[in-house]
Amino acid sequence: MAFPHLYKQAVIRYIVLMKKVSLTGIKPTGDLHIGNYFGAIKPALELAKEYDARYFIADYHALNTMKNPAELNNTIRQVAACWLASGLDPEKVIFYRQSSIPEVFELTTMLMAFTSKGLMNRAHAYKAAVQENNEKGDDPDAGVNMGLFTYPVLMAADIIIFDSDVVPVGKDQVQHIEMAQDIAQSVNANYGQQVLKIPQAAVQENVAVVPGLDGRKMSKSYGNVIPLFAPEKTLQKTIMRIVTNSQSVEEPKNPDTCQIFQLYKLFSDNKEQDALAVRYRKGGMGWGEAKEELFRAVNRELAPIREKFNAIMADIPSLDKILEKGAERARPIAAATVKRFRKAAGID
Ligand code: ADP
Ligand code: TRP
């Protein structure tokens, strides 16, 4: 009986070919920095080699804080150009703007009905805003808009709508993924069936937190970033501003507790790292020299990306076309999830 055999083979082939889905988004809220590159972009592009990847620009998330239209418009293109310059292949990855997928907002509304207010009260970003207000003696909710308060629901919709298996993000985003899991589980529990897929966070442990110029987490809100696409001279000047202790040139130094070395590790191979560690421990190398070494390594990796980025930014119509094509591919997938949910909910 040839048929059952062929059938079995076809099923096996189907299962093997059904790749898992990796999805992530970047909020266009300012110049990208090397924390974003190592914490978000690089791991995501690595995953795109094995997974069906869906990567996007979270422009409606940015609207919560970005009220200047020209600035937001430009930042959206910068983030898109950054993905492409860093190696995203739009033929392979479905690459789009969140704002081009209206189904995401429909799903957000549906998810709202399954999201307790208490869950949102516990979100780190909202809590931090309230705490800051309390410390200043202001009204606890001063400056908090509903976009910020319900941020995790929109993010859950971003993720869930594409049946995502894994979400590559930095450590600070893990709570949001957990909330997406909670919300999706509430939906599935209510209908007694797997209406929505439960996503998992994918955090790269070795680059979980990239340190900034002052040793704290690199973040635009701390003003301690090394920008990704600054001109070479600015890049060098920024690296020279890294805060160090007052050890003299002669003193031996400990590479393991030094953020210059931590950053260097991101841009060099083992042999180079061993060589610099030896110079640290021997003494005779000042912080200025260590920073020069770091600058050389950073510039070696970023120069070609910077060049591509500038070329992409010089042709916005082509960039927009790439994003539109991505949205065309994304929408039917999003629509299928909404349809499934509406059917389960009795709104079909
Ligand atoms: P910022 O802290 O500068 O506002 P975002 O919150 O916009 O950065 O982060 C965008 C993405 O980059 C997220 O996935 C986040 O986890 C990652 N990321 C940001 N800063 C760092 C960092 N210092 N180390 C590792 N990943 C980071
Ligand atoms: N909240 C993420 C950040 O600040 C950006 C984001 C929006 C996102 N939607 C997402 C990340 C969905 C992963 C998946 O970095």
Side-chain angles (χ1 to χ4, degrees), residues 23-27 56 58 61 98 151 155 158-159 167-169 173 176-177:
L23 173 138
T24 199
I26 294 191
K27 213 172 26 166
F56 70 99
H61 272 121
Q98 181 189 42
Y151 186 110
M155 181 157 162
D158 288 333
I159 297 169
V167 186
V169 281
Q173 293 298 311
H176 287 147
I177 315 294

Side-chain angles (χ1 to χ4, degrees), residues 266-277:
L266 298 169
F267 293 95
S268 55
D269 59 29
N270 288 342
K271 221 172 121 195
E272 291 171 316
Q273 289 163 30
D274 290 346
L276 188 62

Side-chain angles (χ1 to χ4, degrees), residues 266-329:
L266 298 169
F267 293 95
S268 55
D269 59 29
N270 288 342
K271 221 172 121 195
E272 291 171 316
Q273 289 163 30
D274 290 346
L276 188 62
V278 168
R279 290 174 64 195
Y280 262 76
R281 295 200 175 96
K282 211 165 72 186
M285 181 184 70
W287 291 126
E289 244 180 285
K291 290 178 191 176
E292 280 295 346
E293 284 300 335
L294 173 62
F295 165 68
R296 268 193 286 276
V298 174
N299 199 45
R300 179 179 63 189
E301 177 150 344
L302 296 190
I305 306 175
R306 188 192 308 139
E307 220 167 276
K308 276 191 215 152
F309 174 83
N310 289 336
I312 295 166
M313 286 302 285
D315 183 3
I316 299 293
S318 298
L319 174 61
D320 284 350
K321 211 160 276 156
I322 290 173
L323 290 163
E324 277 162 31
K325 273 195 179 162
E328 275 169 31
R329 287 166 69 197

Side-chain angles (χ1 to χ4, degrees), residues 104-138:
V104 167
F105 313 110
E106 192 175 351
L107 181 62
T108 303
T109 301
M110 296 177 83
L111 294 179
M112 292 277 188
F114 292 82
T115 306
S116 68
K117 178 173 172 289
L119 188 70
M120 297 299 95
N121 287 343
R122 291 194 288 277
H124 296 324
Y126 170 67
K127 270 172 66 178
V130 169
Q131 192 185 338
E132 206 181 312
N133 284 332
N134 284 338
E135 279 162 13
K136 284 194 289 194
D138 289 347

Side-chain angles (χ1 to χ4, degrees), residues 52-334:
D52 266 342
R54 284 128 204 209
Y55 296 157
F56 70 99
I57 326 294
D59 42 8
Y60 269 121
H61 272 121
L63 189 59
N64 294 334
T65 52
M66 303 271 288
K67 299 297 197 290
N68 177 320
E71 205 184 323
L72 179 55
N73 197 275
N74 182 253
T75 316
I76 290 168
R77 269 64 184 206
Q78 283 191 358
V79 172
C82 173
W83 273 115
L84 295 169
S86 305
L88 182 147
D89 177 352
E91 294 296 320
K92 293 205 181 114
V93 175
I94 301 185
F95 181 52
Y96 56 93
R97 286 168 65 170
Q98 181 189 42
S99 58
S100 307
I101 319 288
E103 290 80 5
V104 167
F105 313 110
E106 192 175 351
L107 181 62
T108 303
T109 301
M110 296 177 83
L111 294 179
M112 292 277 188
F114 292 82
T115 306
S116 68
K117 178 173 172 289
L119 188 70
M120 297 299 95
N121 287 343
R122 291 194 288 277
H124 296 324
Y126 170 67
K127 270 172 66 178
V130 169
Q131 192 185 338
E132 206 181 312
N133 284 332
N134 284 338
E135 279 162 13
K136 284 194 289 194
D138 289 347
D139 181 279
D141 280 330
V144 175
N145 58 43
M146 286 305 285
L148 169 64
F149 187 63
T150 61
Y151 186 110
V153 192
L154 177 54
M155 181 157 162
D158 288 333
I159 297 169
I160 289 167
I161 205 154
F162 290 109
D163 295 324
S164 310
D165 293 287
V166 296
V167 186
V169 281
K171 245 189 187 133
D172 57 316
Q173 293 298 311
V174 170
Q175 189 199 32
H176 287 147
I177 315 294
E178 288 167 356
M179 289 181 163
Q181 293 170 340
D182 275 8
I183 298 169
Q185 269 153 359
S186 306
V187 172
N188 292 347
N190 183 72
Y191 298 115
Q193 53 172 306
Q194 160 113 11
V195 183
L196 306 174
K197 188 176 263 184
I198 312 294
Q200 304 298 328
V203 182
Q204 267 213 345
E205 283 307 327
N206 53 338
V207 290
V209 176
V210 176
L213 300 177
D214 55 2
R216 289 187 293 172
K217 171 192 180 260
M218 185 175 291
S219 169
K220 52 185 172 286
S221 26
Y222 296 150
N224 63 355
V225 308
I226 300 180
L228 256 185
F229 298 117
E232 196 168 311
K233 276 269 159 288
T234 315
L235 178 66
Q236 188 169 20
K237 272 194 200 150
T238 309
I239 289 178
M240 287 303 173
R241 280 180 26 229
I242 293 177
V243 179
T244 51
N245 61 26
S246 55
Q247 279 181 300
S248 67
V249 172
E250 297 74 38
E251 276 179 82
K253 298 173 178 65
N254 183 357
D256 302 327
T257 55
C258 169
Q259 82 254 31
I260 301 173
F261 194 79
Q262 245 176 296
L263 288 165
Y264 185 76
K265 285 209 291 205
L266 298 169
F267 293 95
S268 55
D269 59 29
N270 288 342
K271 221 172 121 195
E272 291 171 316
Q273 289 163 30
D274 290 346
L276 188 62
V278 168
R279 290 174 64 195
Y280 262 76
R281 295 200 175 96
K282 211 165 72 186
M285 181 184 70
W287 291 126
E289 244 180 285
K291 290 178 191 176
E292 280 295 346
E293 284 300 335
L294 173 62
F295 165 68
R296 268 193 286 276
V298 174
N299 199 45
R300 179 179 63 189
E301 177 150 344
L302 296 190
I305 306 175
R306 188 192 308 139
E307 220 167 276
K308 276 191 215 152
F309 174 83
N310 289 336
I312 295 166
M313 286 302 285
D315 183 3
I316 299 293
S318 298
L319 174 61
D320 284 350
K321 211 160 276 156
I322 290 173
L323 290 163
E324 277 162 31
K325 273 195 179 162
E328 275 169 31
R329 287 166 69 197
R331 282 196 67 185
I333 309 171

